Amino acid sequence: MTSRALPAGLATTLVFASSGAVLVLEIVALRLVGPYVGVTLQVSSSVIGIALAAIAYGTWVGGRLADRYDPRPLLAPALLLGAIFAAATLPMVRYGGEWLRGGAAGAVLLLAALAVFLPAFVLSTVTPMVVKLQLSDLERTGSVVGRLSSMGTLGAITATLATGFIFVAAMPTSLIILTLAALLAVGGGVLAWWLRRQDRSLDMPAKPRTRAVLASIGLVGAGLGAAGPTPCDVETAYHCAQVVTDPNVDGGRTLMLNSARHSYVNLNDPQHLEFEYVQWIGAVAALMGRPGAPIDALHLGGGGFTLPAYLRDIRPGSRQRVIELDGGLVDLDRQKLGLVTGPDLQVQVGDARVGLTEQATNSYDLVVGDAFGHLVVPWHLATREMAVDIARVLRPGGIYAQNVIDYPPNRFIRAELATVAAVFPYVALVAPQAALAGETGANFVILASKSPLPLDVIEAGLSALNAPPVLQRDASFAGDARVLTDDYAPVDQLLAG
């Protein structure tokens, strides 16, 4: 079947824009599903895999359609369907996410498919149809295919960078998707009008009534997505964040990040520590050196700033620095969780590993590692090289307290304990007895120092808590676990058991 080629500029624009739209959807899909199934390597792999499958099938179907039918009248409907399916991802994920909440593999794959497959599949049909239209001269096949392929790749690269550096920081996820859907719809409408003007004899398959139905479906999908349930008070660059009021405690607030309980703050009592692992670290911080005397503390991860507020209250005059990746979360803490910064409590927005390298040697009495991506310690914060830099900034007698979450069979905590013990000569572990026995998942706190730890004092402080944990006085729990390094740190796989 012979069809009229499109102008070179229009063909290039269609390939560039459709390929870019697919990558925008892929990146935003990670943020859509995160509040329901977390942000882990498995989730990222599922979204990327589903998107690639959609591209593969879409390209194959687009090529088959281009061989059987005139591609010209199919291009505008492809853009319009892409717009409709893009808008429909919002209600599908937000309603479906409530049913699929959790981290089961099947739920992750299904939610990823709801978030990206249909619009990516339809938009991926555009490139092979455009290529078929432009292949009017077999002697120029290589040039045409190469040019359009490169423009599709450039569109994907441009969309990836723009979404990661600009759109996510400036716009909520729902607005990014609805804006993309609107642009696709406008582009499809303009293309249909232009093609009809260019070839009035062309029998366009999308009749006015059909277009009206498609537009109505798109509007309904967009409306459901905008009005659908969302667990976010604020969408930061990294989190779906929500502050929940505790009905039983005056001033009690829970910070939810991606639907997980991340921090608890009592606005009326900074010494109230709700979570058990925070109580353990708080007990260690309270008992260091001379009780009540100021100390210098570095916090890797801020969350709700519970521990910094606690230290400020029990050790007045202490100097604290918090390195928190999410600047939007810091703003939320200021607005709703009572965070007040100043010379005694400074916040540095940035990656904890990068920020750590900027700290002076022997400059802190206490380093607290409490940075998480959902329920996972970011892999680059769990390696021997990271521990070496923490040891560098700690003063003699200083303590490193690291919070780790793990589940039976406890492969990650054993590896992380072995990793810290490879750097620090004195190491201890705090955890519930049931977690040490491999009966349940829990928080573990690793304590490490370049000097002997005051274990008797720490054990006495922990014994005074309402639910005293077990203090293991060495690193024997690590067994023969392999030390994690920058070259080998499969944190997500170790947690998956």
Side-chain angles (χ1 to χ4, degrees):
M1 178 182 295
T2 302
S3 304
R4 293 172 52 195
L6 298 173
L10 176 58
T12 298
T13 300
L14 285 173
V15 172
F16 184 93
S18 60
S19 299
V22 171
L23 265 295
V24 172
L25 290 166
E26 180 179 343
I27 294 172
V28 174
L30 288 167
R31 300 178 61 78
L32 279 180
V33 304
Y36 307 102
V37 293
V39 184
T40 65
L41 180 62
Q42 284 76 17
V43 173
S44 301
S45 299
S46 296
V47 170
I48 294 170
I50 293 294
L52 289 174
I55 293 170
Y57 283 113
T59 303
W60 177 66
V61 170
R64 292 291 298 268
L65 290 174
D67 285 342
R68 295 189 62 183
Y69 306 101
D70 183 354
R72 287 171 65 93
L74 299 177
L75 291 172
L79 295 179
L80 292 171
L81 280 174
I84 291 170
F85 288 143
T89 59
L90 286 174
M92 287 194 297
V93 171
R94 287 180 172 173
Y95 288 101
E98 297 297 330
W99 290 93
L100 298 170
R101 188 181 296 276
V108 170
L109 286 169
L110 181 55
L111 201 58
L114 291 175
V116 74
F117 185 83
L118 285 177
F121 169 80
V122 172
L123 291 171
S124 296
T125 65
V126 171
T127 294
M129 290 193 289
V130 172
V131 170
K132 178 62 181 288
L133 284 171
Q134 304 308 102
L135 292 178
S136 56
D137 184 354
L138 293 180
E139 293 185 358
R140 299 182 62 249
T141 297
S143 298
V144 171
V145 174
R147 175 172 59 84
L148 292 177
S149 177
S150 68
M151 292 310 300
T153 303
L154 286 173
I157 293 171
T158 302
T160 299
L161 296 176
T163 304
F165 283 89
I166 300 174
F167 299 151
V168 168
M171 303 165 65
T173 301
S174 56
L175 185 56
I176 295 174
I177 290 180
L178 293 177
T179 300
L180 178 64
L183 291 174
L184 289 171
V186 170
V190 170
L191 179 63
W193 171 81
W194 184 86
L195 287 173
R196 192 172 291 278
R197 285 197 59 186
Q198 292 297 309
D199 192 349
R200 296 188 180 278
S201 65
L202 190 65
D203 184 19
M204 300 292 287
K207 305 297 184 185
R209 180 178 298 177
T210 305
R211 290 198 296 269
V213 171
L214 292 177
S216 299
I217 294 173
L219 289 173
V220 170
L224 287 173
T230 174
C232 311
D233 284 341
V234 174
E235 281 190 52
T236 71
Y238 297 93
H239 298 105
C240 164
Q242 182 182 28
V243 174
V244 179
T245 299
D246 187 342
N248 301 316
V249 178
D250 185 26
R253 302 289 187 272
T254 300
L255 173 65
M256 309 288 293
L257 297 183
N258 296 327
S259 295
R261 295 177 75 225
H262 191 277
S263 303
Y264 185 96
V265 174
N266 189 322
L267 300 177
N268 301 325
D269 181 9
Q271 293 193 32
H272 176 87
L273 303 179
E274 181 75 10
F275 296 167
E276 290 185 354
Y277 87 89
V278 181
Q279 296 174 19
W280 307 339
I281 300 176
V284 172
L287 297 169
M288 289 181 62
R290 185 163 54 88
I295 62 172
D296 293 332
L298 176 65
H299 302 264
L300 306 178
F305 285 74
T306 307
L307 274 171
Y310 173 77
L311 276 175
R312 173 187 262 171
D313 198 64
I314 68 166
R315 288 182 176 269
S318 294
R319 293 183 302 171
Q320 301 185 77
R321 176 176 292 273
V322 181
I323 305 178
E324 169 56 52
L325 180 64
D326 194 343
L329 181 58
V330 176
D331 293 337
L332 180 65
D333 288 329
R334 288 193 173 104
Q335 296 166 10
K336 295 192 174 185
L337 294 179
L339 172 62
V340 178
T341 55
D344 66 328
L345 178 53
Q346 299 180 347
V347 177
Q348 179 177 333
V349 175
D351 181 84
R353 178 87 179 254
V354 175
L356 180 65
T357 64
E358 300 170 357
Q359 308 306 310
T361 300
N362 296 331
S363 55
Y364 292 101
D365 304 298
L366 174 68
V367 175
V368 177
D370 195 17
F372 281 81
H374 194 55
L375 301 177
V376 182
V377 178
W379 72 267
H380 69 303
L381 305 184
T383 66
R384 179 173 56 195
E385 290 83 352
M386 176 70 175
V388 167
D389 214 21
I390 291 171
R392 177 186 63 82
V393 305
L394 272 175
R395 292 172 178 148
I399 295 177
Y400 173 42
Q402 182 188 9
N403 176 32
V404 175
I405 297 176
D406 201 7
Y407 309 88
N410 293 329
R411 296 196 304 168
F412 175 50
I413 180 59
R414 295 180 192 275
E416 185 60 14
L417 184 60
T419 300
V420 174
V423 175
F424 289 90
Y426 302 96
V427 177
L429 181 65
V430 184
Q433 178 60 50
L436 292 172
E439 299 171 359
T440 183
N443 291 85
F444 298 76
V445 171
I446 299 172
L447 303 177
S449 178
K450 295 181 287 187
S451 303
L453 290 162
L455 295 176
D456 291 337
V457 175
I458 292 173
E459 190 165 41
L462 294 174
S463 299
L465 299 175
N466 291 331
V470 173
L471 175 65
Q472 287 215 334
R473 292 173 170 248
D474 53 32
S476 59
F477 186 72
D480 59 354
R482 183 172 176 178
V483 172
L484 303 178
T485 67
D486 284 352
D487 188 52
Y488 175 82
V491 171
D492 294 271
Q493 289 84 351
L494 290 172
L495 274 166

